[in-house]
């Protein structure tokens, strides 16, 4: 079974570190939903070669995430931003002008991080 969501996320972060052949096979397999046989015909290598290329790409992507953790940090950042925005939204409901102003500052700063 394809672990397509996780793999495609890792590919978004680290795909440029793969070889051209790995990127092509990975894209056809995960993004275009080609079979191994279809990829083999498309790129002109054996079905086993396609399988090996995809397996090496998956291993490399997992290794990069293990070492660098970019996807994990992004996920943590998004969760923290959601909490910050929720708290600032609640603060913006207070009657105190200073509190509402600070809540607005927090929300604007959070919006720049989201971009």
């Amino acid at each position: 079974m394809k672990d397509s969501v996780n793999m495609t996320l890792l590919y978004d972060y680290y795909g440029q570190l793969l070889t051209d052949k790995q990127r092509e096979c990975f894209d056809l397999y995960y993004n275009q939903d080609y079979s191994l046989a279809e990829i083999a015909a498309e790129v002109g290598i054996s079905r086993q070669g396609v399988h090996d290329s995809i397996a090496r790409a998956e291993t490399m992507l997992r290794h990069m995430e293990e070492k660098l953790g970019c996807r994990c940090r992004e996920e943590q950042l998004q969760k923290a931003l959601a909490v910050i925005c929720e708290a600032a939204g609640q603060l913006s409901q207070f009657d105190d002008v200073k509190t509402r102003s600070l809540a607005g500052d927090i929300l604007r700063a959070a919006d720049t991080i989201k971009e």
Side-chain angles (χ1 to χ4, degrees):
M1 180 178 176
K2 296 180 190 178
D3 181 16
S4 60
V5 173
N6 190 43
M7 278 295 120
T8 55
L9 286 173
L10 293 179
Y11 182 79
D12 289 344
Y13 283 97
Y14 309 113
Q16 292 302 309
L17 300 173
L18 301 175
T19 67
D20 291 341
K21 183 73 73 182
Q22 288 171 334
R23 277 197 307 275
E24 184 177 15
C25 291
F26 186 96
D27 177 61
L28 291 171
Y29 185 69
Y30 280 102
N31 298 329
Q32 308 301 322
D33 204 29
Y34 279 38
S35 70
L36 297 179
E38 291 170 324
I39 298 168
E42 179 79 19
V43 297
I45 60 175
S46 70
R47 186 182 177 286
Q48 183 62 44
V50 171
H51 179 271
D52 292 346
S53 182
I54 292 169
R56 282 192 301 275
E58 291 170 344
T59 299
M60 174 66 93
L61 294 172
R62 286 187 190 103
H63 179 73
M64 288 291 107
E65 178 60 18
E66 182 181 300
K67 296 297 180 190
L68 301 174
C70 293
R71 188 202 53 79
C72 184
R73 274 197 303 281
E74 175 71 19
E75 189 176 287
Q76 291 170 340
L77 176 65
Q78 292 305 317
K79 287 178 183 177
L81 275 171
V83 171
I84 290 167
C85 290
E86 174 65 28
Q90 290 179 17
L91 289 173
S92 70
Q93 303 302 313
F94 280 58
D95 290 334
D96 179 57
V97 174
K98 181 73 172 171
T99 302
R100 284 197 321 259
S101 175
L102 290 172
D105 292 344
I106 293 168
L107 289 170
R108 281 187 293 282
D111 282 342
T112 63
I113 294 171
K114 288 178 186 178
E115 297 171 359

